[in-house]
Amino acid sequence: MATSQKKDFDLQLVLDGFTQCQTEEGTILMEKYLYSYTELCRFFKLMGTIFGFVAHDIESKILILQGHLASKNGEKYTTVQAMIQHEVDTDTTIVRGHPPSGSRTLLRLHRALEFIMAFMLKLSGSSDNDRTSVIAGDVYKDTLAKYHLWIVQKMAAVAMYTLPSRKNLIEMMCKQDYGTVLELLNKVADAMRPVYNETQVLYQKHDLMNLP
């Protein structure tokens, strides 16, 4: 378990970001989405060494999408809906060059969000002494493991085995006190859910769930 960055994860920032990144009409604002994900990088870094590669991958994907936002076609990337429609219309969703397509890039963040959302929900419903290694392992198998090579899955299993109890994990990771975190976990997952669901619908609608 990483200790040099202990108490670095701010759940309130994540809650604020996901609450603000979707409009009443369901439009997902890219800049707010990326703001939220910047904080979620800390979550993976604090999960242990093996998840460092996940955090690094997330950071690289954030930079790619920020690059699209700053490009000459930036207005096409201000929302997730506009980005996907633009890349579908221009037949660029499968581009893997420099830079890769926004649709392919966002899909990786979307997959990681499923893991985080499910982990927080299970964590909130557990007891103080429940081992988060079991919770994280079960959630990982149902989510991110589907996209990782066998050797990575085995390394992740070993790393997650070292995770402590819920109480110790929260006290080591989060800026907020223990009681506040317990209150925030469900709120954060609830704020993530409509963003995740809308993104899922968009990718399914355009048959983009398996972009290489």
Side-chain angles (χ1 to χ4, degrees), residues 85-208:
Q85 191 60 59
H86 167 66
E87 294 190 344
V88 167
D89 291 344
T90 56
D91 196 26
T92 55
T93 58
I94 63 171
V95 171
R96 302 177 68 177
H98 302 288
S101 76
S103 300
R104 180 181 181 276
T105 302
L106 184 69
L107 180 60
R108 273 60 183 176
L109 299 183
H110 178 64
R111 290 169 176 173
L113 186 62
E114 182 184 20
F115 170 83
I116 297 169
M117 184 170 61
F119 180 73
M120 288 185 178
L121 280 173
K122 290 209 170 197
L123 196 64
S124 68
S126 63
S127 66
D128 288 350
N129 295 319
D130 281 349
R131 289 199 61 82
T132 54
S133 56
V134 176
I135 298 171
D138 289 345
V139 172
Y140 177 77
K141 289 175 186 176
D142 292 337
T143 57
L144 281 177
K146 295 180 288 187
Y147 313 107
H148 290 164
L149 297 174
W150 177 84
I151 186 63
V152 175
Q153 294 180 35
K154 293 300 179 184
M155 292 170 65
V158 171
M160 285 184 287
Y161 182 76
T162 66
L163 292 175
S165 67
R166 181 181 78 167
K167 192 171 190 301
N168 288 340
L169 181 73
I170 288 173
E171 289 178 343
M172 283 192 288
M173 285 178 65
C174 299
K175 287 185 176 181
Q176 287 79 19
D177 62 66
Y178 184 64
T180 301
V181 170
L182 293 182
E183 294 176 0
L184 284 172
L185 283 171
N186 269 323
K187 292 180 181 179
V188 172
D190 286 345
M192 291 175 173
R193 190 186 311 280
V195 177
Y196 176 86
N197 288 345
E198 177 63 21
T199 306
Q200 184 81 358
V201 167
L202 287 167
Y203 274 84
Q204 290 174 338
K205 175 183 176 182
H206 294 286
D207 194 23
L208 301 175

